[in-house]
Structure formats: C-alpha cells, structure tokens
Amino acid sequence: MMPRRARRSVEVFSLSFLDCICCGFGAIILLLVLTRHGQPAKIEHSRQNLQAQLRDLQQQLRIIRGESIDLQRQLLGRQQLRERERQQLAKLAGDLSNIQGSYAASTQHAAQSNTTQGDPVATQQTLTKEMAQVLKAQPRRPTEPIAGIPIDSEYVIFVIDTSSSMTENHWPANLKIIDEILALYPHIEGLQVMNDQGIYLFGDTRGRWLADSPQLRARIRTQTAHWHAFSQSNPVPGIEEAIRTYRTPDRRISVFVLGDEFTGTSIQASLDAIGRLNLPDAAGRRPIRIHAIGFPEAPGMSPFTNIRFSALMRLVCEQNNGTFVGL
C-alpha cells in the first residue's frame, strides 16, 4: 500500500487573490470616475440658471417698485384733488348761503321801497306794453327814470347772454326787451352790442361806436334774431370788455346786461373785478352805469345759476348806479 501523499497547504491571501481584489477595486474607482465626469458641467449650468433667475427677479422687483411709486403719486394726486374739490364745495356752499341771504334781504328791501314810494311804474319793474302806454299818456322829462332806470346816457352798450338757455327759451322776449330799451332812447350818440363773453355782434367794430340811426337799429334787430355766439352763461367777461374798451370819464355811458345765468366761481370776486375797472371819480360818480334785465329760470334749468345771476346783478347794479329788473 502506497503511502499517502501529504497535502500541500493552500494560502488564501496569495498573490493571485490580491490581484483580483485590486482589479475589482480599480473597476469600482473607474466607474465612479466615469459617473462623476459630467457633474461639474451640470453644476455650472445650474449656477448660470440660478443667476439668470436672480437677475429676472431683481428686474421684476425694480418694475414693481417703480409701479408702487407711480401708484403712490397717483394716490397722493387724487387725495389732493379730493381736498381741492372739498374746499371748492365748501366755498360754493358758502356762496349759496350768501346769495340766499342777499336775495332775501333784497326782496324785503324792494318790497319796503315799493310800499314807501307808492310808484306804480317802479313797482312794475318790467318793460311792458302797459308801461309804454302809461308813459305815452304821461309826458316825462328826458332824464326822468323809467321803471327805476335813469335815461340820461348818450351811449348804450348791450351785453347779451347767447347761451342755449336764452336762445331756446327767452329769445323772442329778449328781442322785444332790446326794442323797448332802444325805444326809450329816441336818439343817442353811439351804440354797441356784444355777448356775455365780449364777442361783438358786428365783429369788425371792436373799439368803435356805431352811429345811431333807424337803419342801424333795424340791422341790430335782424342780426340779433339769428345770433348764436359762443357763451359760458357768465356776464362778467362782457361787462369787463365794455368797461375796459369804452370807459371815458367825459361821456355818459350805460351798459344793459340781459341774461338768466351766472356760472362764474365767485360773486364777490366778480363784483370786485368790475369795481376795479369802473372806478368812481372825485365826486363819487362811476363813468359807466350798469343796468340788468334778469330772465326767469327756464324749464329743466337748475335754479342755482339763475339765483346767482340775480344776486350778482343786483349787487353790480347797486354798486354802479344802475337798476336790476327781474322779469
């Protein structure tokens, strides 16, 4: 029997095993290197995207801030506008209160004056057919007042409201009043006609007096019947134009204002402006008399502007030696 061969001892951690282990670790490292190769490029791309988004957000923030500033300015402007409108409303309310007080006082004063004087013509205070008949039957002196209006002027200027409230509601009566006023002056040195804005009936005659004649009076009637000049229902500009252009201390001049509305901002400011232009002389006489004919409130028209016209023209006539006649 053959003797058993002794087994050779096997070494587990031999050189071949180590080679395999190293190859495996190398493969793993290689895989890791390959998988991480594109990561820096992705990081850089992400960084650029984030920067772009940041710039967009910053731009949007600037836009929002600009819009916020604009909105704040608009809000401030509207607040200031609201405050101005509130002040204007309060001022108008004060004017209305003053007008109502003046109107009530004037009405009471007129009633007392008519009762005291007992003059049927002054009580009538209108240029009517009945008044004309009374005057024909009762001769008068050339300078005697008619219905409270002194007829002592050598020159006459008409300031006529040509707004739609007048032309659509009162124009026939307005033309009749013009005829009756002219009939009170059989002959005068000069005439002129303009509307409440200072626009002349005969546009090329500004600064000149029209020589009185039957033909001129006929032309005035014809032209006025179809006159529709621009108007803001405010007689003050026309009165100022008449005084500024034709004021002469050595001439007796009367201005007749015919209208139904006053849309100006302030009665007192208008009264002061007219007073500064028509300053009295040393004897206290103002160069130009101002009379006014007030037409009634038209259908559908606000009574506020009609009342303001009456209040303004009563004060203007009183200050400038004239007479206010309410129809």
Side-chain angles (χ1 to χ4, degrees):
M1 186 174 180
M2 294 180 66
R4 297 179 66 180
R5 183 182 298 175
R7 291 183 179 181
R8 189 174 52 183
S9 60
V10 178
E11 296 182 5
V12 176
F13 296 101
S14 63
L15 182 61
S16 298
F17 178 76
L18 293 174
D19 289 341
C20 291
I21 292 298
C22 290
C23 288
F25 281 132
I28 291 171
I29 292 171
L30 181 60
L31 288 174
L32 290 174
V33 170
L34 292 175
T35 55
R36 296 290 181 180
H37 175 69
Q39 192 68 19
K42 292 181 179 179
I43 293 173
E44 179 65 21
H45 183 66
S46 298
R47 187 177 65 82
Q48 293 176 354
N49 286 342
L50 290 174
Q51 289 178 345
Q53 291 178 10
L54 179 61
R55 286 193 297 270
D56 290 342
L57 291 174
Q58 289 175 340
Q59 180 66 24
Q60 292 177 16
L61 179 60
R62 285 192 293 270
I63 293 173
I64 291 172
R65 284 177 177 171
E67 292 177 348
S68 176
I69 292 173
D70 290 341
L71 290 174
Q72 288 177 351
R73 289 175 180 171
Q74 292 178 14
L75 178 61
L76 180 61
R78 301 220 174 159
Q79 289 174 342
Q80 293 174 347
L81 177 61
R82 185 182 64 180
E83 180 62 21
R84 287 196 299 269
E85 290 178 346
R86 187 189 66 78
Q87 294 175 356
Q88 182 68 15
L89 181 61
K91 186 172 180 297
L92 290 174
D95 284 347
L96 176 59
S97 178
N98 293 335
I99 291 166
Q100 290 173 339
S102 299
Y103 180 74
S106 299
T107 303
Q108 183 179 3
H109 177 71
Q112 293 173 351
S113 298
N114 290 336
T115 302
T116 303
Q117 294 175 4
D119 186 351
V121 178
T123 303
Q124 181 78 9
Q125 286 288 300
T126 54
L127 301 174
T128 61
K129 289 182 179 179
E130 290 80 1
M131 184 186 72
Q133 291 173 357
V134 171
L135 293 173
K136 287 180 181 178
Q138 183 178 359
R140 64 175 180 86
R141 296 187 303 276
T143 59
E144 184 180 352
I146 295 180
I149 300 177
I151 311 299
D152 61 349
S153 298
E154 301 168 336
Y155 298 84
V156 172
I157 302 173
F158 288 98
V159 176
I160 306 170
D161 184 345
T162 56
S163 64
S164 58
S165 64
M166 282 288 291
T167 57
E168 294 176 5
N169 298 284
H170 304 304
W171 213 238
N174 178 62
L175 298 176
K176 183 179 178 182
I177 294 297
I178 294 173
D179 283 343
E180 292 180 351
I181 292 174
L182 289 174
L184 299 176
Y185 294 88
H187 177 72
I188 51 180
E189 298 297 325
L191 275 169
Q192 193 52 268
V193 183
M194 65 182 72
N195 81 339
D196 56 323
Q197 301 301 296
I199 300 173
Y200 287 76
L201 177 64
F202 305 107
D204 58 346
T205 63
R206 183 179 186 275
R208 296 192 289 112
W209 287 107
L210 305 176
D212 184 26
S213 67
Q215 294 77 17
L216 174 65
R217 296 188 179 204
R219 283 186 62 199
I220 290 175
R221 294 187 189 96
T222 302
Q223 293 280 100
T224 307
H226 307 285
W227 197 20
H228 297 284
F230 170 75
S231 168
Q232 292 183 328
S233 295
N234 180 2
V236 177
I239 296 172
E240 291 178 335
E241 167 66 16
I243 298 173
R244 189 182 295 111
T245 305
Y246 297 98
R247 180 181 184 274
T248 305
D250 59 345
R251 290 178 176 175
R252 293 195 296 270
I253 303 171
S254 285
V255 172
F256 285 88
V257 181
L258 289 79
D260 64 345
E261 288 187 282
F262 172 58
T263 60
T265 56
S266 171
I267 289 178
Q268 187 60 53
S270 301
L271 190 66
D272 293 341
I274 295 171
R276 285 192 296 269
L277 288 175
N278 197 28
L279 291 172
D281 56 19
R285 175 183 171 276
R286 294 184 184 267
I288 295 181
R289 288 186 185 273
I290 301 179
H291 309 292
I293 310 297
F295 288 81
E297 171 190 341
M301 187 179 84
S302 170
F304 179 67
T305 52
N306 186 252
I307 294 172
R308 295 186 79 215
F309 178 86
S310 298
L312 171 67
M313 295 316 302
R314 283 180 187 274
L315 295 171
V316 169
C317 294
E318 180 181 350
Q319 185 185 70
N320 295 274
N321 306 320
T323 300
F324 175 78
V325 179
L327 302 182

